[in-house]
Amino acid sequence: MPVAQSSLRERSIRYIKGVGPHRLSQLAQLGVETVEDACYYAPRRYEDRTHLLAIGDARPGELVTVRGRVRAKTLRRIRRGQTIFEAAVEDASGVLHAVWFNQPYLAQQLLVGQELLLYGQIEARPRRQIVHPELERVEPDETDVIHVGRIVPVYPLAAGLSQRWFRQVIWIVLEQHAEGVEELLPEALRASRGLPPAAQAIRDLHFPASWEAQSLAQRRLAFEELFLFQLALAQRRSRTQTQRKPQRYQPDGPLTQALRRRLPFTLTPSQERVLEELSADMLQASPMHRLLQGDVGCGKTVVMMSLIAMAVQSGYQVALMAPTELLAEQHARVMRSYLEPLGVSLVLLSQGVPAAERRRLTAEIAAGRAAVVLGTHALLQTSVTFPRLALAIIDEQHKFGVVQRAHLARKAERPDVLVVTATPIPRTLALSLYGDLDISTITELPAGRRPITTRWLRESQRSELYAMIREQLARGRQGYVVYPLVQERAAKDVKAATQMAKQLQAEVFPEFRIGLLHGQMKPKTKEQTMLAFARGELHLLVSTVIVEVGLDVPNAAVMVIEHPERFGLAQLHQMRGRIGRGEHPASCLVVSDAAEEGVRQRLRAFVETTDGFQLAEKDLQQRGPGELLGRRQHGWLRFRIANLARDHALLEEARDDATELISRDPELRDPALAALRSRLALIRQQAS
Ligand code: ADP
Ligand code: MG
């Protein structure tokens, strides 16, 4: 009996037959708590059991599902408590040996005469066998219609839950509730994209009648997810475009001109173009909401400073938020050197500042005397108030959440917001993560940069590695040795990095000065070490990953990355961006004996490519959005069906449709869109 639509989300899965208190908590671990959760819980693969293969026909090398009875079983104990369990499984056509290592309990669970379904790869040697097959017991008292004779779903499950049991629960859920699944997509849209109705898609997601039905269902549900998301973003875009901001800028004035004159270089064409786009935004009546992206070292800082100069000469304040103290400090140092001589007052709100000094600084800001305010998320504290804030800049936004972005923007009525990132991200991610922003990209590096040579060395080449470092240092260059911490706060790891620094100093490079930088150091010590390195007083800096972003020392020409296997491509690329920032040829050296194929592929790609966007795309394919963006963003982009590494085309379609719909009906007032409108309200509520 179908239950009213909207209640699927509220209806607990415990009302489904077979789900008791124990199962309920197991299901909760999978995130399946309501009937709706169950409906959208996607299989990880399917098995075509429409015609099961006869055991005698199964060929070596093939992935197959076969069905047979256990004829005999043996459990053997081999050395050191290891076991091999074997079951001879037969049907009318032949016998297959199923083999499991170290799963002795199967000897009790599988009875002779028991009927099984096995899924795995057939091997011919030493005899016809199947090793560690996925296993399903056929229960004699059940109807088979759910589990065989059709395309069957196989779910990602946790220990303790069997495919068979879960499949049965889903079957019952669909029987009772599939009709109640809410249809969010307007019919016209479904028709134009050739998408099946929601209820149909949910049924076919689990128990498709054909592969075509399965792929249509998948497509429909992924589209729906992406569409909802893009709709929320399009609506946000459209709402900011209709807003009117109070601030008015003077685009050309004494400060912007003086800054230009102080620059020791001319801007690249790319910097000029982007600066024009950004200034045009600021001069508009509606607030700017823009992303500035560009590979490491392309020169985003000077673009930010030009905007800052424009805001300050117009009598406004600017806030710049960076993800780490180190980065905030560096921005402060660079910007001070340019702006303070021009009479701009700049304040850095860092954690190291004593309380009394801090109160003085916040008073300066509150009085409007501090024109430029830099800091970490400390800027978000309610004690920090700006009377004349017009421009909010968020650096390396992907380290922050969208919520923090909004938070900073709330420090003023309708400030212009610029988000900056040096992390090249694939288009699908950009459209999702930054879908409510306009995007400007700096596409080239300043002229005269030497390409960085990247090499992958083995442990056995360590003396060669040290020789290469020595050569650079002897020429007056500086270098980094990145020594990653496994756990940021683990004392043991910090000790390993510390140890490494000591050993390099004492045994390898006694003639050079070596510094150490890690996350547990006091901010003051960190800053001193960084400054010493920036001034050239230290030759080699052993560092944990905090060297990843932002640090700018043009004389640094060599970077060693220890344990590169612990990083993704995007991160490796970020680190490499710390060198090759001056006129000297630079080399990046990764040291790894990694044997795992995934890691080897990653390191090969890193050696071969210096294009950040290409590497990011590879990273997305290999590791998914979560690893690429970090945990915080991942939560936000966790789709149930859609997959940003795969659904490029679908995302573009969803975005086009969402944009079109919002331009026609910004607030979704059409009664046919009622379901969509209320779902969108729900999404917004959950996101804030
Ligand atoms: P990122 O985009 O990674 O933040 P930065 O803004 O730190 O890069 O710039 C990297 C280096 O390039 C800095 O030392 C900066 O002074 C220099 N730089 C920036 N723009 C130019 C340019 N047009 N020509 C030459 N050097 C530049
Ligand atoms: Mg930068």
Side-chain angles (χ1 to χ4, degrees), residues 54 74 100 123 140 172 188 250 297 301 334 385-386 396 404 468 498 524 570 603:
T74 56
W100 286 272
E123 296 174 8
I172 298 171
Q250 193 188 333
T301 314
V334 172
T385 58
F386 300 80
E396 282 302 331
Q404 279 130 318
M468 287 188 273
T498 312
K524 197 86 204 151
L603 294 182

Side-chain angles (χ1 to χ4, degrees), residues 296-297 299-301 304 327 330-331 395-396 420 422 549-552 578 581:
V296 282
K300 294 180 290 295
T301 314
M304 289 188 241
L327 263 181
Q330 180 179 281
H331 272 313
D395 193 21
E396 282 302 331
V420 182
V549 276
L551 195 62
D552 182 32
R578 294 307 108 222
R581 302 169 78 84

Side-chain angles (χ1 to χ4, degrees), residues 180-229:
V181 169
E182 204 173 18
E183 180 58 77
L184 295 172
L185 301 183
E187 206 174 327
L189 178 59
R190 258 182 16 236
S192 80
R193 293 287 179 196
L195 302 170
Q200 180 71 46
I202 284 295
R203 275 200 216 91
D204 290 347
L205 176 70
H206 298 280
F207 297 101
S210 66
W211 290 111
E212 294 75 60
Q214 185 273 330
S215 94
L216 260 182
Q218 166 93 34
R219 188 179 152 76
R220 141 88 209 205
L221 296 169
F223 180 89
E224 175 177 313
E225 259 183 314
L226 296 170
F227 179 69
L228 280 170
F229 194 71

Side-chain angles (χ1 to χ4, degrees), residues 295-329:
D295 214 338
V296 282
C298 69
K300 294 180 290 295
T301 314
V302 61
V303 173
M304 289 188 241
M305 275 196 296
S306 308
L307 296 189
I308 291 173
M310 179 164 146
V312 173
Q313 79 190 1
S314 312
Y316 296 110
Q317 287 176 299
V318 179
L320 193 159
M321 184 165 75
T324 62
E325 290 279 326
L326 206 64
L327 263 181
E329 283 161 18

Side-chain angles (χ1 to χ4, degrees), residues 26 79 94-95 109 234 301 341 364 414 487 498 517 580 599 616 674:
Q26 285 176 313
R79 70 207 137 69
V95 183
Q109 288 179 3
T301 314
E364 287 287 296
R414 278 163 187 178
Q487 284 172 295
T498 312
L517 196 66
V599 174

